[in-house]
Each structure stands twice: as C-alpha cells, then as structure tokens.
Amino acid sequence: MNNKNIDFNNPVVMGNEINYVIESINSVHISGDGPFTKKVHSLLEKEIGVSKVLLTTSCTHALEMMAILLRLKPGDEVIFPDFTFVSTVNAFVLHGAKPVFVDVRPDTLNINEKKLESVISSKTRAVVPVHYAGVACEMDFISEITNNSKKKIAIFEDNAHGLFGKYKGKYLGTFGDLAAQSFHETKNFSCGEGGALLINNNLFIERAEIIREKGTNRSLFFRGQVDKYSWVDIGSSYLPSDILAAYLYGQLEQREKIQNHRMNIWNYYYDGLKDWSYKKGFQLPKVPFYCEQAYHMFYLLLPNLKIRQKFIQYLRENGIYCVFHYLPLHKSKMGRNYVDNPKNFPITDRVSNQIVRLPFHNALTKVDIDYVLENIYRFNY
Ligand SMILES: *Cc1c(COP(=O)(O)O)cnc(C)c1O
C-alpha cells in the first residue's frame, strides 16, 4: 500500500520570513508597533485601499475591538450568519451584544441576505457578514438594507477567509466601516497567531488606537500630538510583537506567489472533481461570476452525514487528512440561549453535516493533489 501522507494544513515559509525575524530581534524593538508592524500596515493599506490598518494579536481580538467600538448598550443586537467560527459571535457577546443568527445561502454558504430584513429590530446595531471560503457575501444587497433602516446599522466584515478577494472588482474588507483579518496558521497568510483591524470609517481610528493600547492615548503621544500619555478609555493589549509582524511581512511580500499557487490548487481540484461530483450528486463550491474569490479552501458537500464520515475515515486510512467544521451556532450550548426557533436554520443544519474540506495549503503539490483525486475516485459508499 501507498503510505503517502497529505496533511490538511501545513504552514510553510514562503520567502524572507526567517531573515526578517532575525532582523527584528537584532533591531532591539521586538514589542508592538515596531518597524515591521509599520511595514505590514502600509502594505495592506496601499494594496487593499483602506484608511487605516492595525495589526492585532488575533482576528478574535480585532472582532473584540469592533464590539468595543460599537459602545453596546444592554439589549443591543448584532446579526451573524449561523454558519461561522465561534469567535465571530463570541467576541461581540463578550462585550455585551445579544447575537441574532441568520441562516446561510445554499450556494455560497454566506449569510442569506434575503433573510436579513426580517431579523432587524430597533435594537439592531450591526451586521457581521463572513465571506465564507473567501467568496463575497451579497454586499450591495446588505448595504442597501442597512442604509434603508431608520437607525444606523453598521456593517463589520469578518474577512478571516477573504484577504485579497474581491466583490464586483473591489477588495473584501473595504465594504464595512470595519473589517477583521486573521493570520492564524490555517489562513492563506500567517504568523502563527495574528490578525488585523481594517478601518474604512475614519471616525473609528483614534478610539481604535486607544483600545488597542490598553485604553491609553500612547499612539497620539508617539506622534507628538500630546505631551504625555494616560488612561483615557477602556481597552486591552491587542498589539502583536514585532517579531510576529516580521514573519507576517515575509509572507505578505509573497502574496502574488501564494495566491497564484492557491488558485492553481483550487482549479486543479475543481477540474478533477467536476464530472465525478456531478455523477455522484456531490456539490462543489459555487462562486458567483462577480466574485473573485480569495482561494482560502476547497470543500465538497456530500449527500449526508453518514457518507461524509465514511469519506473522511476512508481518506484518513489512505493518509489524507480532511476536516469538517462549524457545528451550527444555534445548536451550541451557548447559542441555544439566544434562539427562539431552532427550525429557522435548515441550510446550516444540512451543510454542517455534509461539508468536508480537502487538504489545502501553500506546500501542496500537483503530485499530492493527484494522489488525493485518485483516492477520491475510488471512494465507494
Ligand atoms: C479563523 C477565523 C476567525 C478567528 O481567527 P483567529 O485569528 O484565530 O482569532 C474568525 N472568524 C473566522 C470566520 C475564521 O475563520
């Protein structure tokens, strides 16, 4: 038998990461907001076209900063897709939000924008679309709904999957007042653990800098805008070490190479599975023509839970590691507390039983994918 091993994820060095880490350590500025953090900020600001980027210790923390920036009052509601990672919601609940879940679309698995209007109330403060798999949510429709509401409703994007993806020619992360990125090792670009807050609405900049710096106006002090810094608001320590920023800068410099490679992997999977999945009645990812996806993952929707589990087990026996994810939040121990009718989420319920993510990372080769495909073709149920 073949004893090949195909990892689900493998975070690899893609360029100058190690040299930059050494440079950072030698620079005697290894705490936050050193030279490499500044390089990452300006690279992302220029490349994506946002007014301000602030690196954070994680995407979860960038989401927490959003929640603090909202100045939530008791009973305030924030709207989320039911099919997402826990952090999207938990970060807001931690800072006082009452979460409201919306079912997802059966094609892109993004928040179902058509169901948004029915859950908006006088307490709604924000909608948090998650661009699942780096494929954009229906931003025109979502913006129209929030713009038409009597009270201001903010759009905050969870763009953990979507860096460098586009919707109708415009980068993801530029549609909301704020957006959150992740540089966790499972994402396209990584520094192990890390994230960023993207600020498109300048009204949020000053307070975001304060929240990120333990509630102090230290950023104004460093820019010479105040002559001493002190405690001016609530906050925490959300800035990462410059050593991590150095690693991340090495990754981001290779953005073209990384995104091209991931596009090739995605297309190779897609072409290899098109006919087979049609015959078997398995669903492949759907990408609307006006979306340029970020190539974050490749997934399949299998007919049911039993076949999905068998598929994962079978591939594992052949050294191929696949995963599934996102138990529906409305069914979780925490989520249940916020849901009146658990029958409102049929798509999340179905998809979370059917989905399987194939190995997808920056070190994957054509030979690896051929091996995965050959094994998938041999799968019987
Ligand atoms: C990975 C992920 C997060 C959390 O990212 P961290 O950087 O690990 O905090 C949040 N939302 C989504 C959709 C994610 O995939």
Side-chain angles (χ1 to χ4, degrees), residues 26-76:
N26 290 336
S27 79
V28 301
H29 184 145
I30 58 171
S31 60
D33 282 340
F36 281 103
T37 303
K38 289 184 179 123
K39 280 182 189 208
V40 170
H41 288 173
S42 70
L43 182 151
L44 289 174
E45 283 161 9
K46 274 199 210 106
E47 194 76 6
I48 300 178
V50 295
S51 345
K52 187 88 188 162
V53 172
L54 294 172
L55 273 187
T56 57
T57 29
S58 65
C59 178
T60 305
H61 281 163
L63 291 159
E64 276 191 41
M65 288 179 67
M66 290 176 175
I68 298 170
L69 284 164
L70 255 188
R71 299 183 190 275
L72 290 158
K73 293 180 295 299
D76 279 355

Side-chain angles (χ1 to χ4, degrees), residues 118-167:
S118 67
V119 298
I120 287 177
S121 77
S122 59
K123 297 277 194 186
T124 306
R125 298 289 313 283
V127 181
V128 184
V130 178
H131 304 298
Y132 183 74
V135 177
C137 297
E138 292 299 327
M139 295 316 293
D140 281 350
F141 197 97
I142 294 171
S143 307
E144 202 179 305
I145 287 182
T146 56
N147 289 338
N148 288 345
S149 98
K150 276 172 243 125
K151 269 183 53 191
K152 161 111 183 106
I153 298 176
I155 295 175
F156 292 164
E157 301 168 77
D158 179 340
N159 195 31
H161 301 179
L163 186 58
F164 302 127
K166 288 180 179 174
Y167 171 77

